[in-house]
Amino acid sequence: MEPMFTPALHRQRHQFVIDFVKRKKPKKVLDLGCCECVLLKQLKFHREIELLVGLDIDGAQIKKKMHGLAPISTDYLQPSYDQLRIELYQGSVTEKDARLRGFDLVTSIELIEHLTLADVELFSEVVFGYLTPEAVIVSTPNSDFNPFLPGLVGFRHIDHKFEWTRAEFKSWAMKVCLQYGYEVELTGVGQAPPGQRERVGFCSQIGVFHRLGGKEHYNMFDEDAEDVFSYTLLYSIIYPSLHDNNILRRVLMCEVVYWAEKLKRRWIAEETGERDDTDDLCQAEGEGGECFRASERHVDTEETQTAACGAEMKTLVDQEEEDGELFWRHGKPDSDKWHRCVSVPLAVLWCCCPKVSVLSGSVSNLRLLLMDEPGVKLSQDGSAMLLDHQEQDLDDDDEEEHRADLEDSPYAEARQCPPSAEPEEDWEANV
């Protein structure tokens, strides 16, 4: 059978939720009847969400699919400032659990038609009367549309207990609003054939409920409700975030070492007259050829900055002439030992790398952080980072490897799980 809807109907329902999330930017989202976690896997990329929770009565199905919600390698190697925790529970939507109260958004996508009418009453009480989310999205089949579905006899799915007409769905939605203090907008996805849209509506009808009074009236109908914990937590994961000081420090150190090596290579290339690709790198980072001269514009913001960073970049090495070679004297020589090092001023490093400046906040903070790093050498006055002149330079092929220092951490165990297939309904598998 040729697909009746493009995109497929289940994708349109999920996209409806995603569009709502983009507009309203909820921080706490709960998906009731999460099943194979398909919607959750899409929502986890919308990092305005801080808490993403799924609930389903089928614990075995959750356990089969939950690992697809785990962070992937890039989440550990390039953590963002956004915080995200994902939790999956086994339980019934007809039972209460205090851990899921007060969410910004609750979704119920093609769920209530699997309940008996008695359980629908319990569902309404639990979701709207006890959990009291700020917004609820409920979708369910529209039986007015069924005559247009080729080959359909009876309900759309073998497990459906009922399928409401538009009038029946509206009646239930208005009752919920009056009883629990919500307002509703009725809409849907899956357009009817031309000329029939007013008569039959959408294939999947959707109610978008908003709590009256918004967040100020949270739990106004159930303030003294007893805390009940009836669900079983099956899965919980916290995504790496720069709010974690250990992760922030590790990412900062990776950026500092990476950029210091790049600046060292540029200086060596200029001294030897060889072409270097650091200018190209700067342009790729958005700094262009100004990345070195930019230090002069920022140095005045620090009380103890080294003066004239732009000029300092041209003389990265504090020099002494000895047999025609350039040397850096590291401390007071207790013998004839001299160490060839390139000195990269922290002010230049801070100005040339936007990520270093954002993560550290100031050159002073950067200096303090580097002083505590055993693998970093600083000049005696702490104004510059010292790099071994003979250390092997980075080339473009080594860039990703150098940035992947985080793999030495426990986070290296994170593995990307293959995406699972979208769930298919009996009838909708063909539309």
Side-chain angles (χ1 to χ4, degrees), residues 92-305:
S92 171
V93 294
T94 63
E95 298 176 343
K96 301 176 181 178
D97 193 298
R99 290 170 290 187
L100 305 188
R101 302 185 74 188
F103 274 58
D104 299 313
L105 172 64
V106 170
T107 63
S108 172
I109 308 302
E110 307 297 283
L111 169 65
I112 59 174
E113 65 273 9
H114 294 270
L115 306 176
T116 65
L117 291 177
D119 283 341
V120 170
E121 293 297 319
L122 294 175
F123 168 87
S124 303
E125 179 185 350
V126 169
V127 174
F128 297 96
Y130 182 79
L131 300 183
T132 61
E134 187 175 351
V136 183
I137 298 176
V138 177
S139 80
T140 188
N142 170 21
S143 64
D144 290 337
F145 199 99
N146 286 355
F148 293 93
L149 303 179
L152 177 64
V153 178
F155 292 153
R156 301 183 191 180
H157 193 283
I158 192 173
D159 189 54
H160 285 184
K161 306 301 188 296
F162 62 87
E163 289 180 0
W164 278 332
T165 64
R166 288 180 297 163
E168 290 170 330
F169 182 56
K170 181 178 180 180
S171 175
W172 170 81
M174 296 306 297
K175 178 181 177 181
V176 164
C177 291
L178 292 173
Q179 189 169 357
Y180 300 107
Y182 281 78
E183 60 183 0
V184 65
E185 174 192 356
L186 299 177
T187 180
V189 294
Q191 291 281 3
Q196 301 293 331
R197 295 175 182 176
E198 290 295 327
R199 186 170 69 87
V200 300
F202 296 95
C203 186
S204 279
Q205 50 190 340
I206 296 176
V208 182
F209 299 80
H210 293 276
R211 191 175 65 231
L212 296 176
K215 294 183 178 180
E216 293 77 11
H217 287 70
Y218 165 57
N219 281 348
M220 64 176 294
F221 295 98
D222 208 359
E223 292 180 350
D224 300 325
E226 179 183 358
D227 286 344
V228 179
F229 305 96
S230 57
Y231 303 153
T232 301
L233 179 63
L234 298 181
Y235 182 77
S236 179
I237 187 71
I238 299 176
Y239 272 57
S241 166
L242 293 175
H243 285 275
D244 184 318
N245 287 334
N246 292 329
I247 295 177
L248 172 63
R249 194 182 194 93
R250 186 178 294 275
V251 172
L252 176 61
M253 290 306 105
C254 288
E255 290 293 328
V256 164
V257 172
Y258 172 78
W259 271 88
E261 288 289 343
K262 281 290 186 181
L263 295 176
K264 180 191 80 172
R265 185 172 73 175
R266 167 159 180 172
W267 179 83
I268 292 175
E270 289 179 349
E271 289 296 306
T272 59
E274 297 177 359
R275 183 185 182 278
D276 184 70
D277 64 349
T278 306
D279 282 332
D280 296 336
L281 174 75
C282 291
Q283 292 173 3
E285 294 286 342
E287 292 296 294
E290 296 293 322
C291 73
F292 289 92
R293 293 186 291 275
S295 58
E296 295 178 341
R297 298 192 294 269
H298 290 274
V299 67
D300 293 336
T301 62
E302 290 292 320
E303 294 181 359
T304 59
Q305 280 303 329

Side-chain angles (χ1 to χ4, degrees), residues 33 45 142 172 183 243 248 311 317 350 356 388 391 412:
F45 293 105
N142 170 21
W172 170 81
E183 60 183 0
H243 285 275
L248 172 63
V317 176
W350 191 84
V356 169
D388 189 344
E391 186 174 347

